[in-house]
Amino acid sequence: MATAMYLEHYLDSLETLPMELQRNFSLMRELDKKSQDLLREIDKASDEYLSSVRGMTPEKKAKRITNINKLFGKSREFSDDKVQLAMQTYEMVDKHIRKLDMDLARFESELKQKTLNAKSNNTDTEESKLGEKERKRKKGKKEEFLDEVPKKKQKKGRNLELPQIQMTDTIPAVPISITHPSDVLDMPVDPNEPTYCLCHQVSYGEMIGCDNNDCPIEWFHFACVGLNSKPKGKWYCPKCTVDRKKK
């Protein structure tokens, strides 16, 4: 669009240039013809003067010389007019050349600015898209993780215990209390069951959740983090505690 505008304006400014050039060249040709005619007339007058100068009176000699000088003067005037026309024609063409250079420079500057703006907008859009994708990825990862966590553990800080095993009438039910990950190493474990905590074991016993929403582990066994009961207020795992101190 900008290219068409510059081109249209420049072509409009060139509309009268051919006629002006043609007029100037025609005037220069006429002046050149008149100058050439005068030079031939001067040559003729000079030859006549030289051939008859010995028999002329001083007054006639002076008259002939004055006439030849006048012819030279007219020829010089025609030559000066021709030079002026040539300079005017050059300035006329040079003016359009300078205008073209200015328009090209302005157009190039605008084109560079548009390119920079387009790159800046694309960069902002790409960064926004990347940020949105990253947020969605984290959100999806967290939702997927929470889907694998038993419902009883999705409320942070809630004590989790294994259900009591119902025995026969002769043997009363005995609650099973597991206080350390090593106690469950001999238990059969489903390979598809997710693992948690610093020990990378399955969920069991009492567990507590880290209050850092970006915590990669999130759930921990009481025994693995040195807890006997749920602490008051917010609780952060050892890794998140170190990261928070660095900030």
Side-chain angles (χ1 to χ4, degrees), residues 178-229:
I178 300 175
T179 59
H180 195 274
S182 60
D183 297 336
V184 296
L185 292 178
D186 296 331
M187 296 176 60
V189 179
D190 185 355
N192 296 322
E193 186 175 355
T195 59
Y196 310 98
C197 190
L198 300 173
C199 61
H200 301 292
Q201 297 295 330
V202 297
S203 63
Y204 64 85
E206 294 181 329
M207 299 186 72
I208 186 169
C210 179
D211 281 299
N212 180 13
N213 293 329
D214 296 325
C215 180
I217 302 176
E218 192 169 1
W219 291 98
F220 301 84
H221 303 107
F222 270 31
C224 292
V225 291
L227 294 177
N228 294 321
S229 61

Side-chain angles (χ1 to χ4, degrees), residues 74-173:
K74 287 183 179 180
S75 177
R76 185 167 55 250
E77 289 178 2
F78 291 152
S79 297
D80 290 342
D81 291 342
K82 181 181 176 182
V83 171
Q84 290 296 326
L85 272 174
M87 293 177 63
Q88 180 182 350
T89 303
Y90 173 82
E91 290 293 335
M92 188 187 308
V93 175
D94 187 61
K95 180 183 70 174
H96 289 284
I97 293 175
R98 290 196 303 270
K99 177 176 173 55
L100 178 60
D101 290 339
M102 291 173 60
D103 288 344
L104 286 175
R106 188 160 50 247
F107 174 69
E108 184 178 358
S109 177
E110 292 180 1
L111 189 61
K112 286 182 179 179
Q113 188 62 38
K114 287 183 179 180
T115 303
L116 291 175
N117 293 338
K119 287 183 178 179
S120 178
N121 292 336
N122 290 338
T123 302
D124 294 341
T125 303
E126 290 177 0
E127 290 179 353
S128 177
K129 288 182 178 179
L130 288 175
E132 185 65 24
K133 287 182 179 179
E134 185 66 16
R135 286 193 294 272
K136 288 182 178 179
R137 186 186 68 81
K138 288 184 177 180
K139 183 178 179 181
K141 185 176 180 181
K142 184 174 180 181
E143 290 177 351
E144 180 182 353
F145 181 78
L146 290 176
D147 287 341
E148 296 177 353
V149 177
K151 292 183 179 181
K152 290 185 178 180
K153 291 190 293 182
Q154 291 186 11
K155 185 176 181 181
K156 294 184 178 181
R158 181 171 178 177
N159 295 343
L160 302 177
E161 297 181 355
L162 290 177
Q164 295 179 347
I165 301 175
Q166 298 295 328
M167 308 299 288
T168 61
D169 295 337
T170 58
I171 303 176

